[in-house]
Amino acid sequence: MNKITIENATVVRGNRVVLNNISFSVEAGEAIAIYGPNGAGKTTLLNLVNGLLFPVEGKVVVENIKVNPSTARSIQLITGYVPQNFEIDPRTPILTGTVVLSGCYGKLGLFHYPDKSIIEKAKKIMSKLEIDHLFLRPFGQISGGERQKTMIARAMMQEPEILLLDEPFSSISESSKEKIIEIIRFWKKEKNLTLLLVSHEKSIIEKLCGKVVYIDEGKIVLQEKADGNL
Amino acid sequence: MEIYNFMVYSWTAAILTGLACSLIGVIVVTMGISFIGVCMSHAAFAGALAGIIFHINPVLSSFIFCFIVAGILGPVSDKGELKPDTSLGIVFSSSLGLSFLLLPLIPGSKSEGLRFLWGNILTVNNNDLVIVGVVSLLVLTFVIAFFKEIQILIFNRIIAIASGIHAREIYYMILFLCGAAITASIKAVGGLLVFALIVNPAAAAYQITYDLKKMFLLSSFFGIASGCLGLVFSFSLNIPAGAPIALCSVLIFILATILSPKRRYRGR
C-alpha cells in the first residue's frame, strides 16, 4: 500500500517553477533517496509531503489523506522532519533538551506538558545519539554536527510513521555517521518507518535507501534502485 | 484620600503596564520582530486620534486599530511575499502618516491627542486600571498556558509547524496580545515610549539567561522596576513619567549588557 503518493504536482515560487509535474509513490516501510544538484527542488519535495507547502497543480496524498491546509496538521503529527542545518542566534533561550522534547509537543496537544517518562525517553534517544550530555546546554552553542543529531533525536521523539531527512549528515563527523546510520536503520526496521532522504552522499544513500529518485530543474529525470538497477 | 487614590492608581498602572509589556516583549524580542512594537504603538496612537475626532472612546479605537494591524501583519508574514521588516515598515509608515493626517483634524486644542503620544501615568483612572489589569492577566495566562508552544515558535517557526503545533494560531495571538498590551499602556506611557517597555526589559533579560522561564521572570521584574523607578523620578523631579520610565528601562538594559554572563562567554 502506498504511504505517499505524489500525482502531477507542480510548485511555483514567484515566477519560478520549482517542481514541474512530479509523480511518484512510496510504499509503507520503503526508503527512498532524493538526489540532484542544488536548487533542483529536493527540499521543496520534502515540504510537499509534510504539508509545509502545497502544489498549485496536482495532489499529494499521505496515508490516504490529501494534503491541504486543513489536513496538514494531521500529516505533520505522523511525519518526523529533520531540516537542513539552519542559522540560529547563539543567545537564543532554548536548551538542547527542550528542542528534543519539542518533537512530542504536537502530539501532547495544548495545555499538556512533558512528564517524567517523556523526559526520560528524550534522554534515552539522546543517549543513543551520544548527545545526552547536551540536555541542559543552549542549542545555539552546540556544534553543527550536534545540532543535526539533536534534530534527528527531535524527529524520533515525535514517534513518526514517515521520516523526512534533509541532508542530515552534512555536518556530522565521519566517525559518527556510521553509528547514526545504524541507529536510523534500526528505528526504520523496528517501527516500519517510511523514509525519504535528501543527500548528496552516495555512500549514505546506498546504506539507507533501496531506491533513488533523481531530480533536476524540478523534474524527475530517473528512478533506480540504490545499487544502480531497477 | 484623593492623593492616596492618585498614588495607588499611578503605582498600580506602573506595575501592570511594566508586566504586560515586558512579558509580550520577551516573545517579540526573541522572535526577532521587535519592530512590531513600534508599528503597534503608532497604530494605537492613530487609533486614539481617530477616537477623539469621531467621539469614540480613544482606548477602544486604539484597540481596533491595533487589531487591524495584527490582522494585516499575520497573513502577510504567513504568505511570505514580503520580508517581515518590509511589511512592518509599510504598516509603520502608514500608521505614522495617518497619525499626522488625523492630528490637525482634532477640533480645538491638540493636547488631548498629544496626551496619547507622550502619555501620563499620573492621569490614569479606575477604568484604565481595569483595562490594563485585564490585559496583563490575559498576557500572563497566555504565557503560562502556551509556554511550550512559545518556546518552539521562538526556536524556529517552520519546525514548530512541522511538529504539528498550532503555530499560526499562536503567532496571531501573539500579534493581538502585543496590540492589546500596547493599547492598554498607551495612556500611561504614551505611544512613543511604550516601545521602550516592550523591548528594553526583554532585551536586558536576553543578555542574562538562556532559560526562557527565567527570561520571562527577569523581564517582568525589569519592566515593573522600570515603571516604578520612573515613577519615583517623575514624583521627585516633577516631570511627566513616560520619559523617566523609558530611560530607566534603557539604564537597566545597559547594566544587564555590561554584567552579561553571555557577553563574558562570547568573549572567551
Side-chain angles (χ1 to χ4, degrees):
Chain A
M1 194 187 91
N2 285 346
K3 193 82 168 174
I4 304 164
T5 307
I6 300 178
E7 269 180 37
N8 310 111
T10 297
V11 176
V12 178
R13 271 190 185 157
N15 293 327
R16 185 171 163 244
V17 179
V18 186
L19 288 178
N20 190 356
N21 202 24
I22 290 253
S23 295
F24 82 100
S25 57
V26 187
E27 285 177 23
E30 201 176 7
I32 289 186
I34 317 286
Y35 189 83
N38 288 337
K42 306 184 293 291
T43 299
T44 305
L45 186 59
L46 291 193
N47 289 342
L48 273 186
V49 175
N50 68 354
L52 287 174
L53 280 176
F54 308 102
V56 287
E57 278 173 33
K59 63 176 180 180
V60 179
V61 179
V62 177
E63 279 277 83
N64 294 322
I65 302 167
K66 188 180 172 191
V67 183
N68 59 42
S70 58
T71 60
R73 190 173 168 263
S74 61
I75 306 294
Q76 283 148 3
L77 288 175
I78 58 160
T79 312
Y81 177 50
V82 179
Q84 287 187 56
N85 241 345
F86 54 91
E87 287 300 312
I88 183 167
D89 183 344
R91 295 168 302 164
T92 303
I94 188 155
L95 305 176
T96 306
T98 308
V99 174
V100 175
L101 283 169
S102 72
C104 68
Y105 284 0
K107 279 189 178 155
L108 271 179
L110 297 173
F111 315 120
H112 292 91
Y113 283 85
D115 58 19
K116 214 173 170 181
S117 66
I118 293 175
I119 294 168
E120 282 309 312
K121 188 180 152 194
K123 286 183 176 170
K124 211 172 160 185
I125 292 174
M126 289 177 79
S127 159
K128 276 188 181 167
L129 293 163
E130 297 176 339
I131 51 167
D132 48 328
H133 61 289
L134 303 174
F135 197 85
L136 294 175
R137 188 89 62 85
F139 181 82
Q141 288 180 9
I142 62 176
S143 72
E146 288 167 338
R147 283 184 197 176
Q148 285 189 317
K149 289 182 188 175
T150 303
M151 296 314 289
I152 293 170
R154 191 202 69 87
M156 292 317 298
M157 265 310 279
Q158 212 171 326
E159 295 189 337
E161 293 176 30
I162 298 165
L163 186 58
L164 307 176
L165 303 165
D166 195 351
E167 299 283 7
F169 303 104
S170 57
S171 302
I172 293 176
S173 67
E174 288 301 322
S175 56
S176 290
K177 269 181 197 169
E178 283 298 324
K179 191 159 191 188
I180 295 171
I181 288 169
E182 267 318 301
I183 292 167
I184 292 176
R185 282 170 70 147
F186 173 76
W187 277 333
K188 185 185 166 301
K189 198 172 171 187
E190 187 189 43
K191 300 173 195 299
N192 194 34
L193 276 177
T194 304
L195 198 146
L196 277 184
L197 166 75
V198 168
S199 178
H200 279 104
E201 295 179 68
K202 285 194 171 169
S203 61
I204 291 171
I205 290 175
E206 282 169 9
K207 283 172 189 157
L208 272 176
C209 303
K211 196 167 134 187
V212 190
V213 173
Y214 291 86
I215 297 187
D216 195 9
E217 292 182 353
K219 286 184 177 175
I220 292 177
V221 290
L222 184 68
Q223 296 189 46
E224 64 175 12
K225 280 190 176 173
D227 59 8
N229 301 308
L230 191 68
Chain B
M1 190 63 188
E2 221 168 82
I3 288 180
Y4 172 78
N5 280 346
F6 150 82
M7 294 289 277
V8 169
Y9 285 173
S10 304
W11 286 107
T12 313
I15 291 168
L16 292 175
T17 52
L19 181 69
C21 292
S22 58
L23 281 176
I24 206 74
V26 170
I27 304 173
V28 298
V29 165
T30 49
M31 284 181 80
I33 51 171
S34 315
F35 198 59
I36 225 163
V38 183
C39 270
M40 291 286 188
S41 57
H42 285 77
F45 178 57
L49 296 180
I52 295 167
I53 292 166
F54 297 109
H55 306 292
I56 305 165
N57 183 332
V59 176
L60 177 67
S61 53
S62 292
F63 267 116
I64 294 168
F65 269 55
C66 277
F67 288 169
I68 291 171
V69 166
I72 293 168
L73 289 176
V76 166
S77 67
D78 269 345
K79 286 184 180 169
E81 285 166 3
L82 287 173
K83 283 184 178 176
D85 61 341
T86 311
S87 53
L88 287 172
I90 292 167
V91 173
F92 166 69
S93 53
S94 312
S95 304
L96 197 60
L98 194 61
S99 302
F100 286 148
L101 192 74
L102 291 173
L103 195 58
L105 298 179
I106 295 176
S109 162
K110 313 293 178 222
S111 60
E112 200 187 352
L114 290 172
R115 196 160 52 93
F116 286 94
L117 190 62
W118 312 122
N120 192 349
I121 206 163
L122 310 178
T123 61
V124 292
N125 57 33
N126 203 28
N127 288 342
D128 301 326
L129 280 188
V130 170
I131 291 169
V132 76
V134 169
V135 170
S136 301
L137 194 65
L138 276 175
V139 175
L140 188 63
T141 308
F142 172 77
V143 169
I144 293 169
F146 298 104
F147 182 76
K148 73 177 195 303
E149 285 80 10
I150 293 168
Q151 260 182 331
I152 198 71
L153 258 176
I154 285 170
F155 172 59
N156 186 303
R157 197 170 167 206
I158 298 295
I159 290 172
I161 296 168
S163 305
I165 285 167
H166 295 273
R168 179 178 297 155
E169 293 82 349
I170 289 166
Y171 182 66
Y172 281 27
M173 276 196 255
I174 290 168
L175 294 180
F176 283 112
L177 283 173
C178 185
I182 285 170
T183 307
S185 311
I186 193 172
K187 196 172 170 190
V189 194
L192 278 182
L193 296 171
V194 69
F195 180 59
L197 271 187
I198 295 275
V199 174
N200 296 348
Y206 199 35
Q207 302 301 316
I208 292 174
T209 182
Y210 291 102
D211 185 328
L212 191 63
K213 262 183 207 161
K214 285 181 190 160
M215 199 173 157
F216 274 115
L217 288 171
L218 278 172
S219 180
S220 308
F221 174 70
F222 292 154
I224 292 169
S226 303
C228 293
L229 280 173
L231 208 52
V232 169
F233 283 115
S234 167
F235 286 144
S236 50
L237 301 173
N238 197 24
I239 52 172
I245 288 174
L247 289 174
C248 284
S249 71
V250 174
L251 191 68
I252 289 171
F253 170 74
I254 292 169
L255 285 173
T257 308
I258 292 168
L259 302 172
S260 165
K262 291 184 175 182
R263 190 164 164 261
R264 284 204 293 273
Y265 180 89
R266 286 197 302 279
R268 275 207 292 269

PDB file of all heavy atoms in Angstrom, chain A residues 124-149:
ATOM      1  N   LYS A 124      16.944   9.107  26.705  1.00  0.00           N
ATOM      2  CA  LYS A 124      17.354   7.809  26.164  1.00  0.00           C
ATOM      3  C   LYS A 124      17.715   7.934  24.677  1.00  0.00           C
ATOM      4  O   LYS A 124      18.737   7.405  24.227  1.00  0.00           O
ATOM      5  CB  LYS A 124      16.193   6.813  26.346  1.00  0.00           C
ATOM      6  CG  LYS A 124      16.633   5.379  26.538  1.00  0.00           C
ATOM      7  CD  LYS A 124      15.430   4.548  26.908  1.00  0.00           C
ATOM      8  CE  LYS A 124      15.704   3.078  26.630  1.00  0.00           C
ATOM      9  NZ  LYS A 124      14.528   2.259  26.863  1.00  0.00           N
ATOM     10  N   ILE A 125      16.859   8.641  23.928  1.00  0.00           N
ATOM     11  CA  ILE A 125      17.131   8.842  22.499  1.00  0.00           C
ATOM     12  C   ILE A 125      18.429   9.641  22.330  1.00  0.00           C
ATOM     13  O   ILE A 125      19.280   9.316  21.500  1.00  0.00           O
ATOM     14  CB  ILE A 125      15.945   9.556  21.805  1.00  0.00           C
ATOM     15  CG1 ILE A 125      14.722   8.639  21.773  1.00  0.00           C
ATOM     16  CG2 ILE A 125      16.304   9.992  20.389  1.00  0.00           C
ATOM     17  CD1 ILE A 125      13.456   9.283  21.253  1.00  0.00           C
ATOM     18  N   MET A 126      18.589  10.669  23.163  1.00  0.00           N
ATOM     19  CA  MET A 126      19.802  11.494  23.079  1.00  0.00           C
ATOM     20  C   MET A 126      21.039  10.660  23.425  1.00  0.00           C
ATOM     21  O   MET A 126      22.107  10.838  22.829  1.00  0.00           O
ATOM     22  CB  MET A 126      19.684  12.705  24.013  1.00  0.00           C
ATOM     23  CG  MET A 126      18.690  13.738  23.528  1.00  0.00           C
ATOM     24  SD  MET A 126      18.498  15.106  24.667  1.00  0.00           S
ATOM     25  CE  MET A 126      19.944  16.095  24.305  1.00  0.00           C
ATOM     26  N   SER A 127      20.873   9.751  24.383  1.00  0.00           N
ATOM     27  CA  SER A 127      21.998   8.905  24.786  1.00  0.00           C
ATOM     28  C   SER A 127      22.433   8.000  23.629  1.00  0.00           C
ATOM     29  O   SER A 127      23.630   7.798  23.396  1.00  0.00           O
ATOM     30  CB  SER A 127      21.574   8.107  26.026  1.00  0.00           C
ATOM     31  OG  SER A 127      22.378   6.994  26.177  1.00  0.00           O
ATOM     32  N   LYS A 128      21.442   7.451  22.890  1.00  0.00           N
ATOM     33  CA  LYS A 128      21.770   6.605  21.730  1.00  0.00           C
ATOM     34  C   LYS A 128      22.582   7.384  20.700  1.00  0.00           C
ATOM     35  O   LYS A 128      23.455   6.844  20.036  1.00  0.00           O
ATOM     36  CB  LYS A 128      20.483   6.086  21.074  1.00  0.00           C
ATOM     37  CG  LYS A 128      19.949   4.843  21.749  1.00  0.00           C
ATOM     38  CD  LYS A 128      18.804   4.260  20.953  1.00  0.00           C
ATOM     39  CE  LYS A 128      18.270   3.028  21.683  1.00  0.00           C
ATOM     40  NZ  LYS A 128      16.996   2.593  21.139  1.00  0.00           N
ATOM     41  N   LEU A 129      22.251   8.674  20.560  1.00  0.00           N
ATOM     42  CA  LEU A 129      22.953   9.511  19.580  1.00  0.00           C
ATOM     43  C   LEU A 129      24.182  10.206  20.196  1.00  0.00           C
ATOM     44  O   LEU A 129      24.801  11.067  19.570  1.00  0.00           O
ATOM     45  CB  LEU A 129      21.991  10.562  19.010  1.00  0.00           C
ATOM     46  CG  LEU A 129      20.853   9.996  18.150  1.00  0.00           C
ATOM     47  CD1 LEU A 129      19.739  11.012  17.978  1.00  0.00           C
ATOM     48  CD2 LEU A 129      21.366   9.583  16.779  1.00  0.00           C
ATOM     49  N   GLU A 130      24.476   9.826  21.457  1.00  0.00           N
ATOM     50  CA  GLU A 130      25.643  10.347  22.200  1.00  0.00           C
ATOM     51  C   GLU A 130      25.606  11.869  22.367  1.00  0.00           C
ATOM     52  O   GLU A 130      26.622  12.556  22.228  1.00  0.00           O
ATOM     53  CB  GLU A 130      26.947   9.905  21.512  1.00  0.00           C
ATOM     54  CG  GLU A 130      27.097   8.396  21.511  1.00  0.00           C
ATOM     55  CD  GLU A 130      28.324   7.906  20.748  1.00  0.00           C
ATOM     56  OE1 GLU A 130      28.841   8.645  19.895  1.00  0.00           O
ATOM     57  OE2 GLU A 130      28.744   6.769  21.017  1.00  0.00           O
ATOM     58  N   ILE A 131      24.413  12.387  22.648  1.00  0.00           N
ATOM     59  CA  ILE A 131      24.306  13.827  22.908  1.00  0.00           C
ATOM     60  C   ILE A 131      23.570  14.098  24.222  1.00  0.00           C
ATOM     61  O   ILE A 131      23.140  15.221  24.468  1.00  0.00           O
ATOM     62  CB  ILE A 131      23.593  14.586  21.748  1.00  0.00           C
ATOM     63  CG1 ILE A 131      22.260  13.907  21.377  1.00  0.00           C
ATOM     64  CG2 ILE A 131      24.483  14.735  20.540  1.00  0.00           C
ATOM     65  CD1 ILE A 131      21.375  14.738  20.494  1.00  0.00           C
ATOM     66  N   ASP A 132      23.424  13.072  25.073  1.00  0.00           N
ATOM     67  CA  ASP A 132      22.662  13.257  26.322  1.00  0.00           C
ATOM     68  C   ASP A 132      23.318  14.276  27.256  1.00  0.00           C
ATOM     69  O   ASP A 132      22.640  14.927  28.039  1.00  0.00           O
ATOM     70  CB  ASP A 132      22.436  11.914  27.046  1.00  0.00           C
ATOM     71  CG  ASP A 132      23.686  11.099  27.172  1.00  0.00           C
ATOM     72  OD1 ASP A 132      24.549  11.170  26.273  1.00  0.00           O
ATOM     73  OD2 ASP A 132      23.828  10.372  28.172  1.00  0.00           O
ATOM     74  N   HIS A 133      24.655  14.442  27.114  1.00  0.00           N
ATOM     75  CA  HIS A 133      25.350  15.419  27.972  1.00  0.00           C
ATOM     76  C   HIS A 133      24.990  16.860  27.585  1.00  0.00           C
ATOM     77  O   HIS A 133      25.318  17.796  28.304  1.00  0.00           O
ATOM     78  CB  HIS A 133      26.869  15.207  27.866  1.00  0.00           C
ATOM     79  CG  HIS A 133      27.406  15.384  26.481  1.00  0.00           C
ATOM     80  ND1 HIS A 133      27.157  14.482  25.458  1.00  0.00           N
ATOM     81  CD2 HIS A 133      28.160  16.375  25.929  1.00  0.00           C
ATOM     82  CE1 HIS A 133      27.745  14.905  24.349  1.00  0.00           C
ATOM     83  NE2 HIS A 133      28.347  16.043  24.604  1.00  0.00           N
ATOM     84  N   LEU A 134      24.307  17.016  26.445  1.00  0.00           N
ATOM     85  CA  LEU A 134      23.962  18.375  25.982  1.00  0.00           C
ATOM     86  C   LEU A 134      22.571  18.809  26.425  1.00  0.00           C
ATOM     87  O   LEU A 134      22.117  19.890  26.056  1.00  0.00           O
ATOM     88  CB  LEU A 134      24.025  18.437  24.445  1.00  0.00           C
ATOM     89  CG  LEU A 134      25.340  18.057  23.782  1.00  0.00           C
ATOM     90  CD1 LEU A 134      25.189  18.033  22.266  1.00  0.00           C
ATOM     91  CD2 LEU A 134      26.431  19.051  24.174  1.00  0.00           C
ATOM     92  N   PHE A 135      21.896  17.969  27.207  1.00  0.00           N
ATOM     93  CA  PHE A 135      20.476  18.211  27.540  1.00  0.00           C
ATOM     94  C   PHE A 135      20.238  19.642  28.056  1.00  0.00           C
ATOM     95  O   PHE A 135      19.271  20.294  27.659  1.00  0.00           O
ATOM     96  CB  PHE A 135      19.996  17.185  28.580  1.00  0.00           C
ATOM     97  CG  PHE A 135      18.508  17.091  28.680  1.00  0.00           C
ATOM     98  CD1 PHE A 135      17.770  16.277  27.825  1.00  0.00           C
ATOM     99  CD2 PHE A 135      17.801  17.849  29.611  1.00  0.00           C
ATOM    100  CE1 PHE A 135      16.385  16.202  27.895  1.00  0.00           C
ATOM    101  CE2 PHE A 135      16.421  17.785  29.690  1.00  0.00           C
ATOM    102  CZ  PHE A 135      15.719  16.958  28.837  1.00  0.00           C
ATOM    103  N   LEU A 136      21.124  20.117  28.912  1.00  0.00           N
ATOM    104  CA  LEU A 136      20.904  21.455  29.502  1.00  0.00           C
ATOM    105  C   LEU A 136      21.754  22.538  28.839  1.00  0.00           C
ATOM    106  O   LEU A 136      21.838  23.654  29.342  1.00  0.00           O
ATOM    107  CB  LEU A 136      21.183  21.415  31.008  1.00  0.00           C
ATOM    108  CG  LEU A 136      20.223  20.546  31.824  1.00  0.00           C
ATOM    109  CD1 LEU A 136      20.659  20.467  33.280  1.00  0.00           C
ATOM    110  CD2 LEU A 136      18.795  21.088  31.749  1.00  0.00           C
ATOM    111  N   ARG A 137      22.381  22.211  27.719  1.00  0.00           N
ATOM    112  CA  ARG A 137      23.234  23.178  27.018  1.00  0.00           C
ATOM    113  C   ARG A 137      22.373  23.993  26.045  1.00  0.00           C
ATOM    114  O   ARG A 137      21.521  23.431  25.361  1.00  0.00           O
ATOM    115  CB  ARG A 137      24.301  22.399  26.260  1.00  0.00           C
ATOM    116  CG  ARG A 137      25.398  23.226  25.613  1.00  0.00           C
ATOM    117  CD  ARG A 137      26.584  23.500  26.490  1.00  0.00           C
ATOM    118  NE  ARG A 137      27.292  22.305  26.908  1.00  0.00           N
ATOM    119  CZ  ARG A 137      28.232  21.691  26.194  1.00  0.00           C
ATOM    120  NH1 ARG A 137      28.550  22.129  24.994  1.00  0.00           N
ATOM    121  NH2 ARG A 137      28.859  20.657  26.676  1.00  0.00           N
ATOM    122  N   PRO A 138      22.601  25.340  25.964  1.00  0.00           N
ATOM    123  CA  PRO A 138      21.838  26.127  24.986  1.00  0.00           C
ATOM    124  C   PRO A 138      22.070  25.594  23.570  1.00  0.00           C
ATOM    125  O   PRO A 138      23.220  25.352  23.189  1.00  0.00           O
ATOM    126  CB  PRO A 138      22.427  27.537  25.135  1.00  0.00           C
ATOM    127  CG  PRO A 138      23.023  27.556  26.498  1.00  0.00           C
ATOM    128  CD  PRO A 138      23.509  26.174  26.772  1.00  0.00           C
ATOM    129  N   PHE A 139      20.997  25.433  22.810  1.00  0.00           N
ATOM    130  CA  PHE A 139      21.089  24.848  21.465  1.00  0.00           C
ATOM    131  C   PHE A 139      21.999  25.684  20.563  1.00  0.00           C
ATOM    132  O   PHE A 139      22.738  25.146  19.738  1.00  0.00           O
ATOM    133  CB  PHE A 139      19.687  24.742  20.849  1.00  0.00           C
ATOM    134  CG  PHE A 139      19.673  24.119  19.478  1.00  0.00           C
ATOM    135  CD1 PHE A 139      19.696  22.744  19.328  1.00  0.00           C
ATOM    136  CD2 PHE A 139      19.647  24.912  18.335  1.00  0.00           C
ATOM    137  CE1 PHE A 139      19.685  22.159  18.057  1.00  0.00           C
ATOM    138  CE2 PHE A 139      19.630  24.340  17.067  1.00  0.00           C
ATOM    139  CZ  PHE A 139      19.656  22.965  16.937  1.00  0.00           C
ATOM    140  N   GLY A 140      21.952  27.002  20.732  1.00  0.00           N
ATOM    141  CA  GLY A 140      22.743  27.891  19.880  1.00  0.00           C
ATOM    142  C   GLY A 140      24.237  27.738  20.066  1.00  0.00           C
ATOM    143  O   GLY A 140      25.019  28.249  19.280  1.00  0.00           O
ATOM    144  N   GLN A 141      24.639  27.049  21.154  1.00  0.00           N
ATOM    145  CA  GLN A 141      26.080  26.957  21.442  1.00  0.00           C
ATOM    146  C   GLN A 141      26.681  25.600  21.136  1.00  0.00           C
ATOM    147  O   GLN A 141      27.857  25.374  21.426  1.00  0.00           O
ATOM    148  CB  GLN A 141      26.317  27.299  22.910  1.00  0.00           C
ATOM    149  CG  GLN A 141      26.128  28.766  23.177  1.00  0.00           C
ATOM    150  CD  GLN A 141      26.356  29.108  24.611  1.00  0.00           C
ATOM    151  OE1 GLN A 141      26.823  28.285  25.384  1.00  0.00           O
ATOM    152  NE2 GLN A 141      26.013  30.305  24.973  1.00  0.00           N
ATOM    153  N   ILE A 142      25.882  24.688  20.596  1.00  0.00           N
ATOM    154  CA  ILE A 142      26.448  23.381  20.274  1.00  0.00           C
ATOM    155  C   ILE A 142      26.910  23.383  18.813  1.00  0.00           C
ATOM    156  O   ILE A 142      26.529  24.262  18.037  1.00  0.00           O
ATOM    157  CB  ILE A 142      25.450  22.228  20.579  1.00  0.00           C
ATOM    158  CG1 ILE A 142      24.191  22.339  19.730  1.00  0.00           C
ATOM    159  CG2 ILE A 142      25.109  22.207  22.064  1.00  0.00           C
ATOM    160  CD1 ILE A 142      23.215  21.185  19.919  1.00  0.00           C
ATOM    161  N   SER A 143      27.718  22.398  18.441  1.00  0.00           N
ATOM    162  CA  SER A 143      28.303  22.396  17.095  1.00  0.00           C
ATOM    163  C   SER A 143      27.258  22.013  16.034  1.00  0.00           C
ATOM    164  O   SER A 143      26.174  21.515  16.374  1.00  0.00           O
ATOM    165  CB  SER A 143      29.458  21.404  17.054  1.00  0.00           C
ATOM    166  OG  SER A 143      28.949  20.085  17.098  1.00  0.00           O
ATOM    167  N   GLY A 144      27.618  22.212  14.772  1.00  0.00           N
ATOM    168  CA  GLY A 144      26.709  21.878  13.669  1.00  0.00           C
ATOM    169  C   GLY A 144      26.316  20.402  13.685  1.00  0.00           C
ATOM    170  O   GLY A 144      25.148  20.062  13.489  1.00  0.00           O
ATOM    171  N   GLY A 145      27.297  19.532  13.924  1.00  0.00           N
ATOM    172  CA  GLY A 145      27.029  18.095  13.972  1.00  0.00           C
ATOM    173  C   GLY A 145      26.105  17.739  15.123  1.00  0.00           C
ATOM    174  O   GLY A 145      25.180  16.923  14.980  1.00  0.00           O
ATOM    175  N   GLU A 146      26.353  18.370  16.276  1.00  0.00           N
ATOM    176  CA  GLU A 146      25.490  18.118  17.454  1.00  0.00           C
ATOM    177  C   GLU A 146      24.071  18.616  17.196  1.00  0.00           C
ATOM    178  O   GLU A 146      23.096  17.997  17.635  1.00  0.00           O
ATOM    179  CB  GLU A 146      26.096  18.803  18.679  1.00  0.00           C
ATOM    180  CG  GLU A 146      27.355  18.117  19.192  1.00  0.00           C
ATOM    181  CD  GLU A 146      28.139  18.938  20.210  1.00  0.00           C
ATOM    182  OE1 GLU A 146      27.976  20.184  20.245  1.00  0.00           O
ATOM    183  OE2 GLU A 146      28.935  18.343  20.951  1.00  0.00           O
ATOM    184  N   ARG A 147      23.967  19.711  16.470  1.00  0.00           N
ATOM    185  CA  ARG A 147      22.626  20.231  16.136  1.00  0.00           C
ATOM    186  C   ARG A 147      21.877  19.234  15.250  1.00  0.00           C
ATOM    187  O   ARG A 147      20.682  19.006  15.447  1.00  0.00           O
ATOM    188  CB  ARG A 147      22.745  21.567  15.393  1.00  0.00           C
ATOM    189  CG  ARG A 147      23.054  22.715  16.293  1.00  0.00           C
ATOM    190  CD  ARG A 147      23.066  23.999  15.507  1.00  0.00           C
ATOM    191  NE  ARG A 147      23.746  25.035  16.265  1.00  0.00           N
ATOM    192  CZ  ARG A 147      23.996  26.244  15.820  1.00  0.00           C
ATOM    193  NH1 ARG A 147      23.625  26.578  14.608  1.00  0.00           N
ATOM    194  NH2 ARG A 147      24.600  27.128  16.564  1.00  0.00           N
ATOM    195  N   GLN A 148      22.596  18.660  14.269  1.00  0.00           N
ATOM    196  CA  GLN A 148      21.926  17.694  13.392  1.00  0.00           C
ATOM    197  C   GLN A 148      21.492  16.455  14.165  1.00  0.00           C
ATOM    198  O   GLN A 148      20.397  15.936  13.949  1.00  0.00           O
ATOM    199  CB  GLN A 148      22.854  17.335  12.228  1.00  0.00           C
ATOM    200  CG  GLN A 148      22.916  18.476  11.215  1.00  0.00           C
ATOM    201  CD  GLN A 148      23.648  18.105   9.945  1.00  0.00           C
ATOM    202  OE1 GLN A 148      24.692  17.472  10.000  1.00  0.00           O
ATOM    203  NE2 GLN A 148      23.120  18.502   8.807  1.00  0.00           N
ATOM    204  N   LYS A 149      22.343  16.009  15.091  1.00  0.00           N
ATOM    205  CA  LYS A 149      21.955  14.862  15.922  1.00  0.00           C
ATOM    206  C   LYS A 149      20.729  15.230  16.769  1.00  0.00           C
ATOM    207  O   LYS A 149      19.830  14.416  16.965  1.00  0.00           O
ATOM    208  CB  LYS A 149      23.114  14.448  16.831  1.00  0.00           C
ATOM    209  CG  LYS A 149      24.276  13.793  16.115  1.00  0.00           C
ATOM    210  CD  LYS A 149      25.328  13.402  17.132  1.00  0.00           C
ATOM    211  CE  LYS A 149      26.598  12.917  16.471  1.00  0.00           C
ATOM    212  NZ  LYS A 149      27.661  12.639  17.447  1.00  0.00           N
TER     213      LYS A 149
END
